[in-house]
Amino acid sequence: LTAKSNGFGYQQTQVMGKDEWLTPPELIKSLGEFDLDPCSPVVRPWDTAKKHYSVQDDGLTAPWDGRVWLNPPYGDQCWGWLNRLHAHGNGIALIFARTGASGFQREVWGKAHSVFFIFGRLYFYHVSGVRAKHNSGSDSVLISYDEKNTEVLKNCSINGKLLIL
Ligand SMILES: C[S@@+](CC[C@H](N)C(=O)[O-])C[C@H]1O[C@@H](n2cnc3c(N)ncnc32)[C@H](O)[C@@H]1O
């Protein structure tokens, strides 16, 4: 994205990159209300929770409170965020289904309460609020580290399969 195309000016583009792919808003809605999104864009097209942290707050180290929606920065950065969600113990994470990666083994297979495999690839959104032309190219999973959020995954309307660990 360039400063011209995203409409938010240069300041926003400096902190943007391939990590700025937003969750389809209807997916978050179908999982109920969240208190905190600790990794949200500097300028967001819609709310994903009652409170948001951006890169300017460093949501990885800032205090977390309540039920957390977590679609963390991509790549191996995501494991540290999952580790934090496990320690926090209340929330749902969305990551790619890299089920054999060592981070997945450690932070998901080793710690999670449940994993929900989403059928079909998601279409993420640009920070402008426009849906991506192409799907994400990988399968995605939702992860819960606690019983209550597993219950939400069990009852949600998303097409997929829940695996309780
Ligand atoms: C994959 S996007 C998900 C955005 C949003 N949570 C959602 O679900 O639509 C990850 C976001 O994390 C933000 N981010 C990256 N590093 C961060 C940090 N240290 N603290 C807070 N947010 C950060 C990025 O700017 C990006 O908006």
Side-chain angles (χ1 to χ4, degrees):
L1 286 173
T2 65
K4 255 187 189 164
S5 72
N6 74 18
F8 289 122
Y10 185 62
Q11 270 232 297
Q12 172 84 357
T13 60
Q14 276 187 316
V15 294
M16 284 177 60
K18 62 185 168 61
D19 279 346
E20 298 297 331
W21 288 110
L22 309 187
T23 309
E26 64 280 4
L27 185 140
I28 303 179
K29 259 189 221 123
S30 70
L31 296 170
E33 293 247 302
F34 290 93
D35 298 303
L36 173 70
D37 181 341
C39 45
S40 146
V42 175
V43 179
R44 59 180 181 274
W46 44 68
D47 287 348
T48 47
K50 288 182 196 134
K51 182 177 171 148
H52 306 78
Y53 291 137
S54 77
V55 68
Q56 292 172 343
D57 311 299
D58 189 12
L60 185 56
T61 54
W64 288 18
D65 210 23
R67 185 167 184 248
V68 168
W69 167 251
L70 180 68
N71 172 0
Y74 295 132
D76 286 333
Q77 285 180 83
C78 78
W79 310 126
W81 291 84
L82 288 184
N83 181 45
R84 179 85 196 269
L85 183 61
H86 170 247
H88 179 65
N90 180 13
I92 294 178
L94 172 71
I95 63 165
F96 287 129
R98 295 164 59 201
T99 53
S102 60
F104 202 102
Q105 292 175 44
R106 190 179 65 244
E107 302 300 337
V108 183
W109 296 133
K111 296 180 184 173
H113 188 266
S114 65
V115 182
F116 187 97
F117 289 84
I118 298 172
F119 293 165
R121 290 178 174 173
L122 298 175
Y123 286 77
F124 288 95
Y125 282 69
H126 297 281
V127 280
S128 61
V130 173
R131 195 178 101 137
K133 278 203 185 84
H134 303 287
N135 72 44
S136 63
S138 298
D139 293 330
S140 297
V141 290
L142 294 161
I143 298 156
S144 159
Y145 290 95
D146 66 283
E147 231 165 280
K148 272 193 181 167
N149 283 291
T150 292
E151 207 52 34
V152 173
L153 292 175
K154 200 187 277 177
N155 297 320
C156 76
S157 58
I158 301 166
N159 189 20
K161 179 79 180 170
L162 179 68
L163 179 65
I164 299 177
L165 302 171

